Amino acid sequence: MLSVLLQTVAVLFGLGLLIFIHELGHFSMAKLCKVRVLKFAFGFGKELWGFTKGDTRYSICLFPFGGMVAMAGENPDEAKGEKDEFLSLSCYQKLLIVFFGPLMNYILAIFLFAFVFNIWGLATVSKDAYIGNLAPKSCAQQAGLTVNDKIISVDGVAINSWMDLITNLKDKAEKNINVKVLRQDKELDFNFVLDKNPTTGNGMLGIQPIVLKEKTTFFKSFYYACDTAIYQSTFTLKYLWDKLIKWEKPEVAGPIGVIQVMAKSAKNGLESYIRLLAVISVALGLFNLLPIPLVDGGMIVLFLVEGIIRKKISLKVVGIYNTIGLSLILLIFLFATYSDLIRLGVDKLFK
């Protein structure tokens, strides 16, 4: 019972922190641009505690699940054209306010990654293709491979590194293969059908490499943290682009999947939990930079167009633009939730 309670608190705190930091980015830049901020809240729902300073009401609300920033004049129907309203700002100022939400998610991720690398060390994969772990019911486990086996060849091709192994297995999904391993100075042969990675479609053994921990200095940890955030972003974009041009269904996690993974990581320890928060923070920042109407990236596109044509886009066009964005976001949400339910096996209940 206590474990479930701690996992619930960890999920609520984690998601609340990520969304709050995002809104803090918008709030901070709005204040710097002298926009009249009407409300800045942590959480949502009924206000539990708050105070007013200047024009801004600062609140802590009942449900600690994110935050919100209400700026004067951000709604076209209510804007009066006063100089301290959001829509009265110059194009570049509006861009900065919108951009700083995703940017704060990236900054948070970098600090979290750096903290993990500095305290627990940077995880590096062993150069040799040693098996560090096997997934339950994977083809490798069922064939008889064990932890600490060193894979030395696949179908007669020598394996000198973990990358050699990945490259060699890429096009062999669901095919019969021969794997030769070195176990306590003895060479053993295994023949079995290779599993298929449901995400990439590549062949996979269902094994993990031996992971080594390398201690890093304070400054090096930030370098590696930046590199990790950039790699995660570029990998995600390449993956989505590849799925788009191949017209294939991408594997994505919705609210249910995110909550499930966060609860599991909290159970696995502080390092796993903080690392996952960093990963989700990058994903949240990246998603908000995508050119989807209604999210930050869509607003950035809108303000860029205004800057290029040097006049405000009509409210009718903005309304259509936002309606399209709302429809896209709803479709993404439904698809991600459906994917979560399929992974949980809910579809099997109706067969």
Side-chain angles (χ1 to χ4, degrees), residues 40-162:
F40 179 47
F42 175 70
F44 65 93
K46 183 180 179 181
E47 181 181 282
L48 298 178
W49 179 83
F51 66 93
T52 302
K53 185 176 180 181
D55 297 311
T56 309
R57 179 68 179 176
Y58 298 86
S59 305
I60 295 178
C61 299
L62 180 61
F63 300 102
F65 198 70
M68 64 89 69
V69 177
M71 295 179 286
E74 63 180 331
N75 187 336
D77 297 327
E78 299 174 359
K80 299 177 181 178
E82 298 175 0
K83 65 178 183 179
D84 61 352
E85 291 182 343
F86 175 71
L87 291 177
S88 298
L89 298 176
S90 65
C91 189
Y92 86 89
Q93 287 177 313
K94 288 185 288 189
L95 282 171
L96 282 174
I97 292 173
V98 173
F99 176 70
F100 255 70
L103 179 63
M104 283 294 286
N105 281 125
Y106 272 95
I107 291 172
L108 174 64
I110 288 169
F111 272 92
L112 292 176
F113 277 132
F115 180 77
V116 169
F117 297 157
N118 192 248
I119 300 300
W120 288 283
L122 179 69
T124 57
V125 176
S126 172
K127 292 182 179 179
D128 293 319
Y130 282 98
I131 299 177
N133 201 2
L134 295 98
K137 299 182 180 179
S138 63
C139 61
Q141 185 195 54
Q142 293 177 338
L145 276 70
T146 62
V147 172
N148 292 325
D149 280 351
K150 180 183 178 182
I151 299 174
I152 56 177
S153 72
V154 173
D155 288 340
V157 178
I159 301 298
N160 298 312
S161 67
W162 192 260

Side-chain angles (χ1 to χ4, degrees), residues 75-339:
N75 187 336
D77 297 327
E78 299 174 359
K80 299 177 181 178
E82 298 175 0
K83 65 178 183 179
D84 61 352
E85 291 182 343
F86 175 71
L87 291 177
S88 298
L89 298 176
S90 65
C91 189
Y92 86 89
Q93 287 177 313
K94 288 185 288 189
L95 282 171
L96 282 174
I97 292 173
V98 173
F99 176 70
F100 255 70
L103 179 63
M104 283 294 286
N105 281 125
Y106 272 95
I107 291 172
L108 174 64
I110 288 169
F111 272 92
L112 292 176
F113 277 132
F115 180 77
V116 169
F117 297 157
N118 192 248
I119 300 300
W120 288 283
L122 179 69
T124 57
V125 176
S126 172
K127 292 182 179 179
D128 293 319
Y130 282 98
I131 299 177
N133 201 2
L134 295 98
K137 299 182 180 179
S138 63
C139 61
Q141 185 195 54
Q142 293 177 338
L145 276 70
T146 62
V147 172
N148 292 325
D149 280 351
K150 180 183 178 182
I151 299 174
I152 56 177
S153 72
V154 173
D155 288 340
V157 178
I159 301 298
N160 298 312
S161 67
W162 192 260
M163 189 53 65
D164 282 350
L165 180 63
I166 294 173
T167 302
N168 194 286
L169 297 177
K170 186 176 180 180
D171 301 319
K172 297 180 178 178
E174 300 179 333
K175 295 180 180 178
N176 193 69
I177 63 169
N178 170 265
V179 176
K180 182 174 288 187
V181 305
L182 187 65
R183 182 185 298 171
Q184 296 178 351
D185 298 326
K186 291 183 180 179
E187 292 187 2
L188 303 174
D189 281 278
F190 298 89
N191 294 284
F192 54 91
V193 176
L194 189 64
D195 288 338
K196 181 179 181 179
N197 188 314
T199 301
T200 64
N202 297 336
M204 68 173 190
L205 287 168
I207 64 175
Q208 293 178 343
I210 292 177
V211 178
L212 308 172
K213 290 294 184 71
E214 175 191 343
K215 285 290 184 179
T216 63
T217 63
F218 178 79
F219 292 106
K220 268 192 175 182
S221 65
F222 275 93
Y223 169 79
Y224 289 126
C226 292
D227 188 60
T228 303
I230 293 170
Y231 172 79
Q232 184 185 330
S233 300
T234 53
F235 178 84
T236 302
L237 290 174
K238 286 178 181 177
Y239 169 73
L240 292 175
W241 177 252
D242 184 61
K243 291 296 179 182
L244 181 64
I245 61 176
K246 291 180 180 178
W247 205 243
E248 294 177 349
K249 182 181 76 171
E251 290 291 326
V252 295
I256 298 172
V258 170
I259 290 171
Q260 187 180 30
V261 172
M262 287 187 72
K264 184 178 179 180
S265 69
K267 187 177 180 181
N268 290 338
L270 189 59
E271 179 188 359
S272 174
Y273 176 68
I274 295 176
R275 186 187 294 272
L276 181 65
L277 283 184
V279 169
I280 297 176
S281 192
V282 170
L284 183 61
L286 179 62
F287 175 78
N288 275 280
L289 287 174
L290 295 178
I292 301 172
L294 271 187
V295 303
D296 295 330
M299 298 302 293
I300 288 172
V301 170
L302 200 64
F303 296 140
L304 281 174
V305 171
E306 284 188 351
I308 293 170
I309 64 177
R310 296 187 178 278
K311 66 177 183 179
K312 290 187 180 296
I313 299 174
S314 70
L315 294 180
K316 184 179 180 180
V317 172
V318 172
I320 296 172
Y321 184 74
N322 288 338
T323 301
I324 293 171
L326 182 61
S327 301
L328 283 172
I329 292 170
L330 184 59
L331 284 172
I332 292 171
F333 174 81
L334 291 174
F335 172 71
T337 303
Y338 170 77
S339 299

Side-chain angles (χ1 to χ4, degrees), residues 20-38:
F20 176 75
I21 288 294
H22 181 95
E23 296 299 332
L24 180 63
H26 294 315
F27 170 78
S28 303
M29 188 50 62
K31 282 291 190 180
L32 284 173
C33 292
K34 303 189 183 305
V35 175
R36 181 160 37 97
V37 179
L38 305 177

Side-chain angles (χ1 to χ4, degrees), residues 3-25:
S3 176
V4 173
L5 179 61
L6 289 174
Q7 288 179 57
T8 303
V9 170
V11 169
L12 290 176
F13 171 79
L15 292 177
L17 173 66
L18 298 179
I19 302 172
F20 176 75
I21 288 294
H22 181 95
E23 296 299 332
L24 180 63

